[in-house]
Amino acid sequence: MDMSMPPASGPKMKLVMVGNGMAGMRTLEELLKAAPGLYDVTVFGDEPHPNYNRIMLSPVLAGEQTVEQIVLNSRDWYAQNGITLHTGKRVVKIDRRNRSVQADDGTQASYDRLLLATGSKPFILPVPGASLPGVIGFRDIADVDAMIHAAAEYKHAVVIGGGLLGLEAANGLKLRGMDVSVVHIGSWLLDRQLDEPAARLLQQSLEEKGLKFLLQKHTAELVEGERGRVTAVKFKDGEIIPADLVVMAVGIRPNTALAESAGLHCNRGLVVNDTMQTYDPRIYAVGECVSHRGIAYGLVAPLFEQAKVCANHLAE
C-alpha cells in the first residue's frame, strides 16, 4: 500500500442555497475562497437565469446593456466550481426534521446546512385592479422584458413611485418611445434623498425630456379595459389618466413566505443572529430577506458584509 496517499476523507457536507441573487452568490464566492471543497453545493433559483447584477436592470431597460452583459456568474462558472444549479425552480417546502427542500416541480435536495437568500418582492399597492395584466413591479429580468414588449405595442405608461427606481423605470420607458407619467404620493420627487428646491430642479430637467409628473396623488383604482388589460389609473380625487402599462416602484418587502412556512421566526424579515443563523442553527440567511437587529437592508454594501460573515461561519 502506498503510504504517501492521503487518507480518504469522509463524505462532504451538503450545502443547499435557496435563491440565486447577489447576496447569496457573494456568500458562495467567499466560501469557495475560504474553504474550497468543504461542501457539495446545490443552488435553486426561481428565475430561468444564472446570477445577474440586479442593479444593472435599468441600463438593460434603457437599451444601454444586454441581459448577457449583466450576468455575474455564467452557467460555466457553476459547473467549474462543482455547483449543481437548478434554474426556474421555486423551492416551496423546507423539511427541517429530515433536512431537505422541495421545489415546485418535485425536485428535492437534502442538506446539512441550508442558506436562504430569497431576497425581496416589490410592494404592490393593494388597490382594485392591481393583479390585471400590464401591472408589474420593477425587480427582475422578466419585468424588464414585459416593459420592453409593452413599449413596442402600447403608448401610455404610468410609473407609481417617485423614488430612484421609479425615475429609472420612467427614463427607460421614455427612451423606448412611451408617453410616461410618474405618480408620487409625496410633495416632491426623491423625497428621501433631496430637499424640495433640489427636487424641483430635477423635476424641471426631467420634464424638459418629456416626462410628466403627478405629485401628492393617491391611486384609488387600476381600471380594466375591453381586452382584460389595464387601461387607466384612477385617483382618489377622481382624475383618470390612460395607462397601458403600470409599473409599481413603491418599495420592497422581504420575501419570507418560505421561511414562515417552515416555522422560522420572522419579524419584518427572517430574523438572524450576528453569525447570520436563524433560530434553526443549521439554517442561515443573507440579503434582503433578512432582519438583523431589527433592520432589513436594501443596499448592496451591507448585504455583501453579511455574505462575508456568513461565509466565514460556514467555513468553520
Side-chain angles (χ1 to χ4, degrees), residues 114-151:
L114 177 62
L115 175 56
L116 298 178
T118 49
S120 59
K121 297 189 302 189
F123 179 66
I124 301 298
L125 289 176
V127 295
S131 59
L132 285 172
V135 181
I136 58 171
F138 183 14
R139 184 77 200 136
D140 57 27
I141 287 172
D143 293 330
V144 172
D145 284 344
M147 288 193 236
I148 291 170
H149 284 122

Side-chain angles (χ1 to χ4, degrees), residues 132-135 154-160 178-179 181 183 221-225 229-235 240-247:
L132 285 172
V135 181
Y154 298 103
K155 179 81 180 125
H156 299 286
V158 173
V159 177
I160 300 178
M178 292 193 87
D179 179 40
S181 298
V183 174
E221 183 187 348
L222 305 179
V223 182
E224 186 174 351
R229 186 185 170 93
V230 69
T231 191
V233 177
K234 184 176 184 183
F235 300 107
I240 299 176
I241 59 169
D244 310 303
L245 173 72
V246 175
V247 180

Side-chain angles (χ1 to χ4, degrees), residues 15 17 21-34 77 115-117 276 284-287 303-314:
L15 173 66
M17 184 167 87
M22 293 169 75
M25 284 307 301
R26 176 60 74 97
T27 308
L28 279 194
E29 289 171 2
E30 297 275 359
L31 179 59
L32 289 169
K33 277 191 284 190
W77 181 89
L115 175 56
L116 298 178
M276 307 313 293
Y284 293 72
V286 294
L303 303 185
F304 282 175
E305 195 59 38
Q306 289 178 4
K308 206 176 184 86
V309 170
C310 186
N312 287 340
H313 203 265
L314 283 168

Side-chain angles (χ1 to χ4, degrees), residues 166-271:
L167 295 182
E168 287 183 346
N171 179 57
L173 291 167
K174 184 81 186 105
L175 287 172
R176 288 189 178 269
M178 292 193 87
D179 179 40
V180 186
S181 298
V182 177
V183 174
H184 189 49
I185 202 166
S187 303
W188 62 83
L189 300 174
L190 292 182
D191 42 14
R192 288 185 178 180
Q193 290 92 347
L194 300 179
D195 61 14
E196 188 170 0
R200 294 283 174 231
L201 287 172
L202 172 66
Q203 182 177 334
Q204 200 177 337
S205 75
L206 293 173
E207 282 169 345
E208 284 164 12
K209 290 182 177 175
L211 293 174
K212 298 198 250 326
F213 296 93
L214 296 101
L215 301 177
Q216 292 178 291
K217 282 285 196 184
H218 295 257
T219 304
E221 183 187 348
L222 305 179
V223 182
E224 186 174 351
E226 290 169 10
R227 293 161 63 185
R229 186 185 170 93
V230 69
T231 191
V233 177
K234 184 176 184 183
F235 300 107
K236 286 186 178 168
D237 62 9
E239 187 181 354
I240 299 176
I241 59 169
D244 310 303
L245 173 72
V246 175
V247 180
M248 298 256 188
V250 288
I252 54 175
R253 294 289 181 275
N255 190 5
T256 55
L258 177 67
E260 285 172 37
S261 74
L264 294 169
H265 179 51
C266 297
N267 182 12
R268 294 198 297 274
L270 177 49
V271 176

